[in-house]
Structures are given as C-alpha cells and as structure tokens.
Amino acid sequence: MRRSLVLTLLGPDRPGLVEAMAALIARHGGNWLESRMASLAGEFAGILRVEVDEDSAAALESALRSLEADQGLAILVKGGRVMERPPGRLLALELVGTDRPGIVREVSQALAAKGVNVEELETECTSAPMTGETLFRARALLRLPRGAAEEELQASIEAIAEDLMVDVTLEPARAPAPVADPPARPSRLRRA
C-alpha cells in the first residue's frame, strides 16, 4: 500500500537542495508527485507531495530528519490524505495594481465571505515599465462552491478592485496542459 506525504521545507537557499531531496526520496522508493518551490529573500521555501510504500515511510521520515540537520533545513512532514477534488467550478483570478498594504487581505476576505476556496496563490511585486513604481501582481486558482453564483463573486471582486484601484480579471480556469511524452531519442545540444 502506498502512503502520501506532504513536506514543507524552509532554509537558506543554495545549489543542490532540490537534488538532495530528490535523491533521498528516490533512495526510499518514493515518487515525487507535485511541488511548489521558490527562493524568497535568500531563503528556500518549498512544499511537495510524495508517495512512498507504507513499509518505507518511517525510514524516509527518519532520513528527512538527517537531511534537516545536514542541510540546515526546517522540514515538516504530514501524512497527506488522497482526496478527490471537491465539487464546484474552478476560476482563475488575476490582479494587477500599484502595491500597497492590505490588497491580499481585502480580496481574501471577499472570497471567504462567498465560500470560495483559494487552491493556489502566486504573488509578486515588480517595477512598472514606464514609471518604475512598484506593481503588485497576483494570480489565483479559485474553487467556487457548488450552487454559488459566479456573477455575485464577480460583482464583489469588481467593487473591491474599484476601491483598491487595481485591475482584476476573473474567468473560468483553463485545464492544465498535459505533460508531453519524452522524445524517442534524447536530443543533443550543439554548440555554436
């Protein structure tokens, strides 16, 4: 029987951290299923889900503790539950505007009030091309609960966008692109 584990990682960023995790997981017969990782202010932060045989799970967790000490990482391991996606439509939200404190709080309050689940959220601050002022960008994958009116959520988000002076789009989410099959033979890179 296979067991799903969800790992969170945090520590000083440096080359080789992902490889060390991948090697350790592979050594214990684990399968790396999905992950989100980033370097934020010099810190490596990641979350990933792996699947491992029930018999190997304890050994993998013990090896992760050793990696934690060796690499200076904080690693949290939780037994993940394999769940089917909840009912409801997926929506994609994009937001762009001049950065200021409170944007995420105000938008997330409106989403929570409508029972919307934020399944993914990615934010960043960038420089505006012409003015150089700081722009805040957010992309989110939202799950609208069954029976909720998309038009009501749209109106609520538009009202907040007007107050915050940001541009917001809310539209049905596109299905993720399938992973392409690898080529039959590896391609060779040519140097110029």
Short mmCIF file of all heavy atoms in Angstrom, two decimals, residues 67-103:
data_model
loop_
_atom_site.label_atom_id
_atom_site.label_comp_id
_atom_site.label_asym_id
_atom_site.label_seq_id
_atom_site.Cartn_x
_atom_site.Cartn_y
_atom_site.Cartn_z
N LEU A 67 18.60 14.83 6.88
CA LEU A 67 18.80 15.87 5.87
C LEU A 67 18.54 17.24 6.48
O LEU A 67 19.25 18.20 6.18
CB LEU A 67 17.87 15.63 4.67
CG LEU A 67 18.02 16.61 3.51
CD1 LEU A 67 19.36 16.40 2.82
CD2 LEU A 67 16.89 16.44 2.53
N GLU A 68 17.56 17.30 7.35
CA GLU A 68 17.22 18.55 8.03
C GLU A 68 18.44 19.07 8.79
O GLU A 68 18.81 20.24 8.68
CB GLU A 68 16.04 18.30 8.98
CG GLU A 68 15.49 19.49 9.67
CD GLU A 68 14.24 19.14 10.48
OE1 GLU A 68 14.18 18.04 11.07
OE2 GLU A 68 13.34 19.98 10.53
N ALA A 69 19.12 18.20 9.51
CA ALA A 69 20.29 18.60 10.29
C ALA A 69 21.47 18.91 9.37
O ALA A 69 22.17 19.91 9.57
CB ALA A 69 20.66 17.49 11.27
N ASP A 70 21.69 18.08 8.34
CA ASP A 70 22.84 18.25 7.44
C ASP A 70 22.74 19.51 6.59
O ASP A 70 23.74 20.16 6.32
CB ASP A 70 23.00 17.05 6.51
CG ASP A 70 23.36 15.77 7.25
OD1 ASP A 70 23.78 15.85 8.43
OD2 ASP A 70 23.20 14.70 6.65
N GLN A 71 21.55 19.83 6.12
CA GLN A 71 21.37 20.94 5.18
C GLN A 71 20.88 22.23 5.83
O GLN A 71 20.71 23.23 5.14
CB GLN A 71 20.38 20.52 4.07
CG GLN A 71 20.84 19.36 3.22
CD GLN A 71 21.97 19.74 2.29
OE1 GLN A 71 22.10 20.88 1.86
NE2 GLN A 71 22.82 18.77 1.99
N GLY A 72 20.60 22.21 7.13
CA GLY A 72 20.11 23.41 7.79
C GLY A 72 18.69 23.78 7.39
O GLY A 72 18.31 24.94 7.40
N LEU A 73 17.92 22.78 7.04
CA LEU A 73 16.53 22.99 6.64
C LEU A 73 15.59 22.72 7.80
O LEU A 73 15.89 21.90 8.66
CB LEU A 73 16.15 22.03 5.50
CG LEU A 73 16.78 22.23 4.14
CD1 LEU A 73 16.40 21.08 3.22
CD2 LEU A 73 16.35 23.55 3.54
N ALA A 74 14.47 23.39 7.80
CA ALA A 74 13.36 23.02 8.68
C ALA A 74 12.40 22.23 7.79
O ALA A 74 11.94 22.74 6.76
CB ALA A 74 12.68 24.26 9.23
N ILE A 75 12.13 20.99 8.15
CA ILE A 75 11.26 20.13 7.34
C ILE A 75 10.10 19.66 8.20
O ILE A 75 10.31 19.12 9.29
CB ILE A 75 12.04 18.90 6.80
CG1 ILE A 75 13.24 19.35 5.95
CG2 ILE A 75 11.11 18.00 5.98
CD1 ILE A 75 14.12 18.20 5.48
N LEU A 76 8.90 19.85 7.70
CA LEU A 76 7.70 19.38 8.37
C LEU A 76 7.08 18.31 7.48
O LEU A 76 6.91 18.52 6.28
CB LEU A 76 6.71 20.52 8.58
CG LEU A 76 5.36 20.17 9.19
CD1 LEU A 76 5.53 19.64 10.61
CD2 LEU A 76 4.44 21.36 9.16
N VAL A 77 6.78 17.16 8.05
CA VAL A 77 6.20 16.05 7.30
C VAL A 77 4.80 15.79 7.84
O VAL A 77 4.61 15.62 9.04
CB VAL A 77 7.05 14.76 7.46
CG1 VAL A 77 6.44 13.61 6.67
CG2 VAL A 77 8.48 15.01 7.04
N LYS A 78 3.84 15.76 6.95
CA LYS A 78 2.45 15.44 7.32
C LYS A 78 1.98 14.30 6.44
O LYS A 78 2.30 14.26 5.25
CB LYS A 78 1.53 16.65 7.10
CG LYS A 78 1.83 17.86 7.95
CD LYS A 78 1.44 17.67 9.38
CE LYS A 78 -0.03 17.91 9.55
NZ LYS A 78 -0.48 17.90 10.91
N GLY A 79 1.23 13.40 7.02
CA GLY A 79 0.61 12.33 6.24
C GLY A 79 -0.51 12.93 5.43
O GLY A 79 -1.47 13.44 5.98
N GLY A 80 -0.35 12.95 4.13
CA GLY A 80 -1.37 13.54 3.26
C GLY A 80 -2.54 12.60 3.06
O GLY A 80 -2.40 11.38 3.12
N ARG A 81 -3.67 13.17 2.84
CA ARG A 81 -4.86 12.39 2.53
C ARG A 81 -5.11 12.48 1.04
O ARG A 81 -5.07 13.57 0.48
CB ARG A 81 -6.07 12.94 3.27
CG ARG A 81 -5.95 12.80 4.77
CD ARG A 81 -7.06 13.54 5.44
NE ARG A 81 -6.79 14.97 5.30
CZ ARG A 81 -7.66 15.93 5.49
NH1 ARG A 81 -8.88 15.65 5.82
NH2 ARG A 81 -7.33 17.19 5.35
N VAL A 82 -5.34 11.37 0.42
CA VAL A 82 -5.70 11.39 -1.00
C VAL A 82 -7.18 11.71 -1.07
O VAL A 82 -8.01 10.97 -0.55
CB VAL A 82 -5.39 10.03 -1.68
CG1 VAL A 82 -5.80 10.06 -3.13
CG2 VAL A 82 -3.91 9.72 -1.55
N MET A 83 -7.47 12.85 -1.65
CA MET A 83 -8.86 13.31 -1.69
C MET A 83 -9.24 13.60 -3.13
O MET A 83 -8.42 14.02 -3.93
CB MET A 83 -9.02 14.59 -0.87
CG MET A 83 -8.68 14.42 0.59
SD MET A 83 -8.69 15.99 1.49
CE MET A 83 -10.34 16.59 1.19
N GLU A 84 -10.49 13.37 -3.42
CA GLU A 84 -11.00 13.78 -4.72
C GLU A 84 -11.25 15.28 -4.67
O GLU A 84 -11.49 15.84 -3.61
CB GLU A 84 -12.30 13.03 -5.04
CG GLU A 84 -12.07 11.57 -5.32
CD GLU A 84 -13.32 10.90 -5.85
OE1 GLU A 84 -14.16 11.59 -6.47
OE2 GLU A 84 -13.45 9.70 -5.61
N ARG A 85 -11.17 15.91 -5.82
CA ARG A 85 -11.43 17.33 -5.89
C ARG A 85 -12.85 17.61 -5.42
O ARG A 85 -13.77 16.91 -5.79
CB ARG A 85 -11.28 17.85 -7.32
CG ARG A 85 -9.87 17.85 -7.81
CD ARG A 85 -9.23 19.15 -7.44
NE ARG A 85 -7.90 19.22 -8.00
CZ ARG A 85 -6.98 19.98 -7.52
NH1 ARG A 85 -7.21 20.70 -6.46
NH2 ARG A 85 -5.81 20.04 -8.06
N PRO A 86 -13.02 18.65 -4.60
CA PRO A 86 -14.38 18.98 -4.18
C PRO A 86 -15.19 19.50 -5.37
O PRO A 86 -14.62 19.95 -6.37
CB PRO A 86 -14.16 20.09 -3.14
CG PRO A 86 -12.81 20.64 -3.42
CD PRO A 86 -12.03 19.54 -4.05
N PRO A 87 -16.50 19.42 -5.25
CA PRO A 87 -17.32 19.92 -6.35
C PRO A 87 -17.21 21.44 -6.44
O PRO A 87 -16.85 22.11 -5.48
CB PRO A 87 -18.74 19.49 -5.96
CG PRO A 87 -18.69 19.31 -4.48
CD PRO A 87 -17.28 18.90 -4.15
N GLY A 88 -17.53 21.96 -7.59
CA GLY A 88 -17.51 23.41 -7.80
C GLY A 88 -16.62 23.75 -8.98
O GLY A 88 -15.73 23.00 -9.36
N ARG A 89 -16.89 24.91 -9.55
CA ARG A 89 -16.14 25.36 -10.72
C ARG A 89 -14.81 25.98 -10.32
O ARG A 89 -14.71 26.66 -9.31
CB ARG A 89 -16.97 26.38 -11.50
CG ARG A 89 -18.17 25.77 -12.19
CD ARG A 89 -18.92 26.76 -13.07
NE ARG A 89 -19.24 28.04 -12.45
CZ ARG A 89 -20.23 28.25 -11.59
NH1 ARG A 89 -20.99 27.24 -11.22
NH2 ARG A 89 -20.46 29.44 -11.11
N LEU A 90 -13.81 25.79 -11.19
CA LEU A 90 -12.52 26.44 -11.00
C LEU A 90 -12.50 27.76 -11.76
O LEU A 90 -12.92 27.82 -12.92
CB LEU A 90 -11.38 25.56 -11.52
CG LEU A 90 -10.93 24.43 -10.61
CD1 LEU A 90 -9.86 23.60 -11.30
CD2 LEU A 90 -10.40 24.96 -9.30
N LEU A 91 -12.02 28.79 -11.10
CA LEU A 91 -11.89 30.11 -11.70
C LEU A 91 -10.45 30.59 -11.56
O LEU A 91 -9.78 30.27 -10.58
CB LEU A 91 -12.82 31.11 -11.00
CG LEU A 91 -14.31 30.79 -11.01
CD1 LEU A 91 -15.08 31.78 -10.15
CD2 LEU A 91 -14.85 30.81 -12.43
N ALA A 92 -10.02 31.37 -12.54
CA ALA A 92 -8.69 31.98 -12.48
C ALA A 92 -8.87 33.47 -12.20
O ALA A 92 -9.66 34.14 -12.86
CB ALA A 92 -7.97 31.79 -13.80
N LEU A 93 -8.16 33.96 -11.21
CA LEU A 93 -8.20 35.37 -10.85
C LEU A 93 -6.83 35.97 -11.11
O LEU A 93 -5.81 35.37 -10.75
CB LEU A 93 -8.56 35.54 -9.37
CG LEU A 93 -8.55 36.98 -8.87
CD1 LEU A 93 -9.88 37.32 -8.23
CD2 LEU A 93 -7.44 37.20 -7.87
N GLU A 94 -6.79 37.10 -11.78
CA GLU A 94 -5.55 37.85 -11.97
C GLU A 94 -5.80 39.27 -11.51
O GLU A 94 -6.85 39.86 -11.79
CB GLU A 94 -5.10 37.83 -13.43
CG GLU A 94 -4.64 36.46 -13.85
CD GLU A 94 -3.79 36.48 -15.11
OE1 GLU A 94 -3.11 37.49 -15.35
OE2 GLU A 94 -3.83 35.48 -15.81
N LEU A 95 -4.83 39.81 -10.78
CA LEU A 95 -4.95 41.15 -10.21
C LEU A 95 -3.63 41.88 -10.43
O LEU A 95 -2.57 41.32 -10.22
CB LEU A 95 -5.25 41.04 -8.72
CG LEU A 95 -5.37 42.32 -7.91
CD1 LEU A 95 -6.39 42.12 -6.81
CD2 LEU A 95 -4.05 42.76 -7.34
N VAL A 96 -3.71 43.14 -10.87
CA VAL A 96 -2.53 43.98 -11.06
C VAL A 96 -2.88 45.38 -10.62
O VAL A 96 -3.94 45.92 -10.98
CB VAL A 96 -2.07 44.04 -12.54
CG1 VAL A 96 -0.86 44.96 -12.70
CG2 VAL A 96 -1.77 42.67 -13.08
N GLY A 97 -2.00 45.99 -9.83
CA GLY A 97 -2.21 47.38 -9.41
C GLY A 97 -1.03 47.89 -8.62
O GLY A 97 -0.11 47.12 -8.29
N THR A 98 -1.05 49.17 -8.32
CA THR A 98 0.01 49.76 -7.52
C THR A 98 0.02 49.09 -6.15
O THR A 98 -1.02 48.92 -5.52
CB THR A 98 -0.22 51.27 -7.38
OG1 THR A 98 -0.28 51.84 -8.69
CG2 THR A 98 0.90 51.93 -6.60
N ASP A 99 1.22 48.70 -5.71
CA ASP A 99 1.34 47.99 -4.45
C ASP A 99 0.98 48.88 -3.27
O ASP A 99 1.30 50.06 -3.25
CB ASP A 99 2.77 47.48 -4.28
CG ASP A 99 2.93 46.63 -3.04
OD1 ASP A 99 2.02 45.83 -2.74
OD2 ASP A 99 3.95 46.78 -2.34
N ARG A 100 0.30 48.27 -2.32
CA ARG A 100 0.02 48.90 -1.03
C ARG A 100 -0.38 47.82 -0.06
O ARG A 100 -0.85 46.75 -0.46
CB ARG A 100 -1.06 49.97 -1.14
CG ARG A 100 -2.45 49.42 -1.39
CD ARG A 100 -3.47 50.55 -1.26
NE ARG A 100 -4.82 50.09 -1.24
CZ ARG A 100 -5.44 49.49 -0.23
NH1 ARG A 100 -4.81 49.24 0.87
NH2 ARG A 100 -6.70 49.13 -0.31
N PRO A 101 -0.20 48.04 1.24
CA PRO A 101 -0.59 47.01 2.22
C PRO A 101 -2.10 46.75 2.19
O PRO A 101 -2.90 47.67 1.99
CB PRO A 101 -0.19 47.64 3.56
CG PRO A 101 0.84 48.67 3.23
CD PRO A 101 0.47 49.18 1.87
N GLY A 102 -2.47 45.49 2.38
CA GLY A 102 -3.88 45.14 2.54
C GLY A 102 -4.58 44.57 1.33
O GLY A 102 -5.74 44.17 1.42
N ILE A 103 -3.92 44.52 0.17
CA ILE A 103 -4.60 44.02 -1.03
C ILE A 103 -5.02 42.56 -0.85
O ILE A 103 -6.18 42.21 -1.07
CB ILE A 103 -3.70 44.17 -2.28
CG1 ILE A 103 -3.48 45.66 -2.59
CG2 ILE A 103 -4.32 43.47 -3.48
CD1 ILE A 103 -2.49 45.93 -3.72
#
